[in-house]
Amino acid sequence: MRVLAKDIAASARDGAGEVEMLGWVHRIRELGGVAFLILRDRSGLAQLVLGEKPGLTLESVIAVRGSPALNEKAPGGAELRVDSLTVLSEAAGDLPYQVNGDVSRVGIEAILDNRVLSLRSPRIRSIFKVQATIIEAFAAYLRAADFTEIKTSKLTAGSTEGGTNLFMVEYFDRKLFLAQSPQLYKEALVASGLERVFEIAPVYRAEKHDTPRHLNEYVSLDLEMAFIESERDLIELEKGLLAHIFEAVALKNGPDLAAWDASVPDPESTARAPTVAYEESLAIVNREAAKAGGARIFDINPEAERLLCEWSLREQGSDLVFVNEFPRRHRPFYTYPLETAGGGTAALTMSFDAIFRGLEITSGSRRHHDYRAFAEALPKFGIKPENMTAYLQILKYGCPPHGGFAIGLERLTQKILGLANVKEASLFPRDRRRVEP
Ligand code: AMO
């Protein structure tokens, strides 16, 4: 019977007879004529005791048989007294990266260059355990709210977010683009009658940024829903969704959070997160900047995001802030205009961002749903209706008022754990230079 490292003490207490353990050779040391081998498996580390020092390289994969025994001095309070050892796969002796060393001292490039080895460090692996919980909790919360999970094509004929940040792909004898977001498809599926949909999938941005917050490929946690009145319905949904994700991470990933000295916000502080209109948020940011003797800020840039979160934490006790009512110039063409008291439409939009611990993690909005009004509005954005036929087709045959948002998975993971760079939260990140591994 196989016993995992985390269960060795329980199995010793239960008086289990001979058991098998499988894993990697993490460390070997000799003390007073006895050899100790630390074995690592997916659950953690366990001490093995051998009569003599084995001729093994670190990181080799082994199978051992023996009897578990309690030992206060062993990590976890127990060890395996080994009777037989088999090498399943011998590791080469020239490790480019010290797996059992202090990973906090290793630079990000070395970590990413040696991904298969760096992920063997429990601390680095814990990033992706937290990420897996985020994905699971995002999907579970939405399924319980009657959303349907969708998977849409990442090959598109045109831009979904506007702008020029597109990767071109050769597709037989024509050119296509990698999807910047599932925006059009998620709206199409709302209009198809599904009403509530979500998608978890990679998206592509040909941005030439080289910053700790940008990837050229990231996983977008997208949702879209029918019959909303404004972006405020979406903000309420996101508060509940994030509170659920944070709770799931607290419940499932205690040791992973501890490895990064991190914690998640409690549900009350998430519910308390303020919503501030764009203009007001700029005023707050500039008051904060002035206090610190900083220069005037004209946009919600990274410095503004940091200051807003500092303000929110101090004034509202929340790590999270929502900024809504962005000016039209800051939002994509599909964003619904804010209706003014007089019944007209302002230069503002029913849109929002969520900023968490100083970083934008979400964008969302109510969308245009009226075919005629939208077709008439398009030329104002410099778009010819004939270039927007796919989008117009979604609205043509009856589309409910709707909206949605997208959370960047790696950014949320980064901010939960306090990682310095978003690339640390991507298994195989793509940036301007890195396309391998
Ligand atoms: P937006 O383009 O703002 O909105 O993206 C939504 C969220 O995705 C994350 N994100 C990124 N993460 C890493 N690297 C990048 N280069 C990057 N770009 C964006 C951020 C951001 O908040 N279709 C809309 C969403 C919607 O309205 O439903 C969209 O894609 O966390």
Side-chain angles (χ1 to χ4, degrees), residues 160-161 180-183 186 203 205 207 209 213-220 222-224 331-332 334 353-354 360-365 367 404-412 422:
T160 52
E161 297 300 311
Q180 293 167 302
S181 88
Q183 188 62 38
K186 63 179 185 167
V203 294
R205 303 282 170 105
E207 293 161 346
H209 297 128
R213 53 163 66 199
H214 287 101
L215 292 160
N216 292 111
E217 178 186 45
Y218 70 90
V219 175
S220 187
D222 263 276
L223 68 82
E224 196 73 16
R331 303 309 271 203
Y334 51 73
D353 278 0
E360 177 205 312
I361 56 161
T362 307
S363 274
S365 63
R367 333 290 191 187
F405 58 82
I407 306 175
L409 174 65
E410 295 82 355
R411 285 194 183 181
L412 181 56
V422 72

Side-chain angles (χ1 to χ4, degrees), residues 108-124:
I108 182 160
E109 295 304 324
I111 285 179
L112 297 178
D113 285 344
N114 300 293
R115 212 29 155 165
V116 174
L117 285 180
S118 58
L119 284 166
R120 290 188 189 178
S121 305
R123 185 165 190 251
I124 295 188

Side-chain angles (χ1 to χ4, degrees), residues 108-109 112-113 167 204-218 421-424 426 428-437:
I108 182 160
E109 295 304 324
L112 297 178
D113 285 344
F167 287 114
Y204 301 87
R205 303 282 170 105
E207 293 161 346
K208 289 186 175 163
H209 297 128
D210 187 7
T211 78
R213 53 163 66 199
H214 287 101
L215 292 160
N216 292 111
E217 178 186 45
Y218 70 90
N421 194 317
V422 72
K423 288 175 202 167
E424 293 176 70
S426 172
F428 299 105
R430 294 290 175 260
D431 63 25
R432 268 183 87 182
R433 281 162 291 113
R434 182 177 293 283
V435 292
E436 288 185 312

Side-chain angles (χ1 to χ4, degrees), residues 12-24:
R13 271 195 298 273
D14 294 349
E18 192 184 65
V19 298
E20 184 182 41
M21 296 191 82
L22 303 167
W24 287 257

Side-chain angles (χ1 to χ4, degrees), residues 25-177:
V25 178
H26 187 68
R27 195 185 298 280
I28 305 172
R29 70 196 161 89
E30 248 180 327
L31 211 71
V34 186
F36 294 96
L37 188 155
I38 302 294
L39 174 123
R40 191 183 64 244
D41 64 19
R42 68 174 191 276
S43 75
L45 304 174
Q47 177 164 297
L48 314 181
V49 189
L50 297 108
E52 57 189 52
K53 192 174 176 191
L56 278 173
T57 47
L58 292 178
E59 295 308 309
S60 291
V61 181
I62 57 170
V64 288
R65 290 187 164 276
S67 9
L70 293 171
N71 174 1
E72 275 179 9
K73 288 188 195 141
E79 62 195 10
L80 188 81
R81 309 224 161 118
V82 175
D83 298 323
S84 70
L85 183 154
T86 314
V87 178
L88 302 179
S89 168
E90 191 182 347
D94 59 343
L95 285 177
Y97 168 91
Q98 201 191 335
V99 175
N100 62 20
D102 177 3
V103 289
S104 61
R105 289 154 159 251
V106 182
I108 182 160
E109 295 304 324
I111 285 179
L112 297 178
D113 285 344
N114 300 293
R115 212 29 155 165
V116 174
L117 285 180
S118 58
L119 284 166
R120 290 188 189 178
S121 305
R123 185 165 190 251
I124 295 188
R125 238 181 17 249
S126 68
I127 299 171
F128 299 97
K129 290 191 168 184
V130 168
Q131 192 161 83
T133 304
I134 297 173
I135 294 171
E136 193 183 325
F138 176 82
Y141 188 86
L142 294 175
R143 277 194 199 107
D146 211 18
F147 281 72
T148 301
E149 180 163 9
I150 54 168
K151 297 291 176 195
T152 64
S153 177
K154 300 305 147 206
L155 293 169
T156 60
S159 151
T160 52
E161 297 300 311
T164 52
N165 301 326
L166 288 159
F167 287 114
M168 204 182 267
V169 183
E170 282 197 17
Y171 189 79
F172 303 110
D173 53 357
R174 53 187 292 205
K175 307 275 187 225
L176 292 184
F177 303 102

